[in-house]
Amino acid sequence: MNVLVVNCGSSSLKFQLINSDTEEVAAKGLCERIGIDGRLVYQPAGGEKEVTEAPMPTHTEAIQMVLDALVNPQTGVLKSLDEVEAIGHRVLHGGSKITESRVIDDEVVEVIDECCDLGPLHNPANLMGIRACMKLMPGKPNVAVFDTAFHQTMPPKAYRYAIPTKYYTEYAVRKYGFHGTSHSFVSKETIKYLGLDPDNSKVIVAHLGNGASISAVQNGKCVDTSMGLTPLEGLIMGTRSGDLDPAVLEFVCKKEGFDVKEMLRILNKESGVFALSGNLSSDFRDLEDAMNDGNEDAALAIDAFSYRVAKYIGSYVAAMNGIDAIAFTGGIGENAGIVRKKVLSYLGYLGIAMDEEKNKIRGERCILSTEDSKVKVAIVPTNEELAICRETVELVNR
Ligand code: AMP
């Protein structure tokens, strides 16, 4: 089955056309600057990247350009759009009502719409993508794969905040968690890869990318995760602060004359390792180079990031009363050996021993722990598009 996987942001759209039988990507690309001017980058498998600049006032024109590229007689990979059998959409927020991926019908559209309040940057864009696909490919099944769904198995003690109940009952303020597609995919892959018992396993997934989150997965179900009502909670990230004393907001707002909105922008866009490194970079490649050149701020940023990850792992070992495996994924988790080494250096008490040679590996699935390590540690690359494709096929065939 050919599945078009679509991931819409407010002014961008990433896509992959995946053959679900071979799980190979036939073509991929992205539309940028939607609503501004418009630029399509399209790449067929094994072919050159093509860049087309053309007006894309809305996501509908963007999707139309993607579809035209897919059937283009020269560089397209399809003879006709009839060959696209289903469309899988990444959707940020499904609130508490959505606990798994769903074939999109009026009710699902309504829930995504209701959750715009909780995901104001993403849900409206996700809906635009869904509506554009429904309009341009009528009759094809569309499936929504939610970033929050995998975390819906968390118990109340993990997802409730200790604030007045009214905020939960009336405004749905609670921990939701994000990157669920990745945590679900990587935890399942880890269980298979390491030969663990799916019904008797305790796995921690550290999804460390520009956005970073960590989850505790017991018997295949999420029991806790680090992101919260929004993706701001938890780990230190590229430009997000992660956990901090909420009183910092009022304190800095008063000193600088900011309002809460401006302060949240700073906590989302100007904080994290970027801030700790003295605004040097949010990219761990730059931070590592700077640290090796003796930059102490860069070294602090890497240290603080790794320390926070290790603290979360410790707390999730407590949450599950044990641990069988830790999986590193995401751009940093898959590539930055320095971070993995620092994180694991805090976890010797768990009987973890790492193979230093293996830790030099970048971006490939491998077992990092030694034979005698009490806990298995692995790099398990994430593949959210493939996860969305698999979910889409499962639902369409159900
Ligand atoms: P992601 O959001 O998962 O795509 O991860 C992006 C981040 O991964 C970048 O901002 C870098 O911090 C990090 N990253 C990517 N490649 C490398 C690499 N080769 N070495 C270290 N860090 C990397």
Side-chain angles (χ1 to χ4, degrees):
M1 183 186 288
N2 284 313
V3 178
L4 180 63
V5 175
V6 176
N7 180 358
C8 285
S10 51
S11 66
S12 68
L13 179 163
K14 289 191 203 138
F15 68 92
Q16 285 193 3
L17 183 74
I18 302 177
N19 177 327
S20 67
D21 303 322
T22 58
E23 298 202 329
E24 274 167 16
V25 177
K28 63 179 179 181
L30 81 158
C31 299
E32 296 172 296
R33 301 176 61 82
I34 301 170
I36 306 166
D37 36 33
R39 183 171 186 265
L40 166 74
V41 181
Y42 169 81
Q43 187 173 27
E48 296 285 308
K49 264 189 196 164
E50 258 173 42
V51 180
T52 316
E53 315 236 340
M56 293 177 193
T58 70
H59 287 70
T60 307
E61 289 80 12
I63 301 249
Q64 184 66 62
M65 281 194 65
V66 171
L67 300 181
D68 290 346
L70 291 173
V71 294
N72 178 303
Q74 273 80 48
T75 51
V77 291
L78 300 174
K79 289 201 179 69
S80 115
L81 287 180
D82 291 341
E83 292 170 47
V84 176
E85 281 154 281
I87 304 117
H89 297 264
R90 181 178 186 177
V91 180
L92 181 81
H93 224 300
S96 301
K97 286 192 186 151
I98 303 265
T99 56
E100 55 185 4
S101 303
R102 297 274 297 271
V103 174
I104 302 176
D105 55 16
D106 291 348
E107 187 204 337
V108 175
V109 167
E110 206 173 293
V111 175
I112 299 171
D113 200 19
E114 275 170 23
C115 292
C116 284
D117 199 20
L118 294 166
L121 296 179
H122 295 85
N123 273 37
N126 299 153
L127 263 186
M128 284 192 267
I130 289 167
R131 290 193 168 120
C133 285
M134 285 177 155
K135 182 173 164 197
L136 298 171
M137 289 177 280
K140 305 266 179 196
N142 285 265
V143 168
V145 180
F146 293 84
D147 253 22
T148 50
F150 181 63
H151 303 304
Q152 280 296 313
T153 47
M154 282 188 288
K157 66 183 175 188
Y159 70 68
R160 282 290 298 274
Y161 292 125
I163 55 175
T165 304
K166 179 184 170 191
Y167 306 154
Y168 171 63
T169 52
E170 289 189 20
Y171 313 135
V173 175
R174 48 160 285 182
K175 180 188 276 286
Y176 289 98
F178 297 89
H179 293 141
T181 314
S182 175
H183 286 287
S184 167
F185 178 84
V186 173
S187 58
K188 287 190 183 86
E189 291 291 305
T190 304
I191 287 168
K192 272 194 271 169
Y193 180 43
L194 300 178
L196 303 177
D197 177 354
D199 299 320
N200 185 18
S201 54
K202 295 168 177 173
V203 175
I204 292 177
V205 176
H207 176 112
L208 311 179
N210 194 34
S213 68
I214 185 158
S215 66
V217 183
Q218 190 162 358
N219 306 337
K221 294 200 162 45
C222 175
V223 294
D224 209 340
T225 193
S226 59
M227 283 178 168
L229 174 74
T230 76
L232 187 55
E233 188 181 344
L235 301 178
I236 295 173
M237 308 180 211
T239 59
R240 293 192 192 117
S241 64
D243 296 338
L244 87 169
D245 179 350
V248 168
L249 267 87
E250 193 213 11
F251 190 85
V252 177
C253 279
K254 263 192 184 159
K255 295 270 180 206
E256 296 274 336
F258 293 156
D259 58 11
V260 173
K261 190 169 175 220
E262 172 63 1
M263 197 63 223
L264 282 174
R265 191 194 63 75
I266 291 167
L267 294 178
N268 273 297
K269 306 266 187 211
E270 294 181 9
S271 299
V273 290
F274 173 73
L276 284 173
S277 67
N279 294 4
L280 180 76
S281 177
S282 59
D283 192 307
F284 274 70
R285 286 164 286 203
D286 302 335
L287 296 176
E288 199 178 336
D289 288 347
M291 183 184 78
N292 291 337
D293 288 342
N295 183 315
E296 288 180 10
D297 294 333
L300 171 68
I302 295 175
D303 259 350
F305 177 91
S306 310
Y307 176 62
R308 180 80 55 92
V309 174
K311 285 206 297 184
Y312 263 96
I313 291 177
S315 68
Y316 287 170
V317 173
M320 296 192 286
N321 195 13
I323 169 87
D324 296 314
I326 299 170
F328 284 101
T329 197
I332 299 162
E334 291 167 28
N335 294 295
I338 175 93
V339 169
R340 295 189 300 251
K341 185 174 173 175
K342 279 183 185 282
V343 169
L344 296 178
S345 73
Y346 292 105
L347 304 173
Y349 72 96
L350 292 172
I352 290 179
M354 188 190 70
D355 183 327
E356 296 271 352
E357 274 308 303
K358 293 266 180 67
N359 195 39
K360 291 181 184 153
I361 291 176
R362 284 175 189 272
E364 270 174 47
R365 180 183 277 217
C366 78
I367 298 176
L368 297 170
S369 46
T370 58
E371 283 284 322
D372 56 351
S373 176
K374 293 218 172 76
V375 176
K376 289 184 174 164
V377 182
I379 300 176
V380 180
T382 192
N383 189 338
E384 287 168 286
E385 289 79 13
L386 180 57
I388 292 170
C389 169
R390 285 182 185 170
E391 291 273 311
T392 302
V393 171
E394 201 196 311
L395 274 149
V396 169
N397 286 339
R398 216 181 251 179

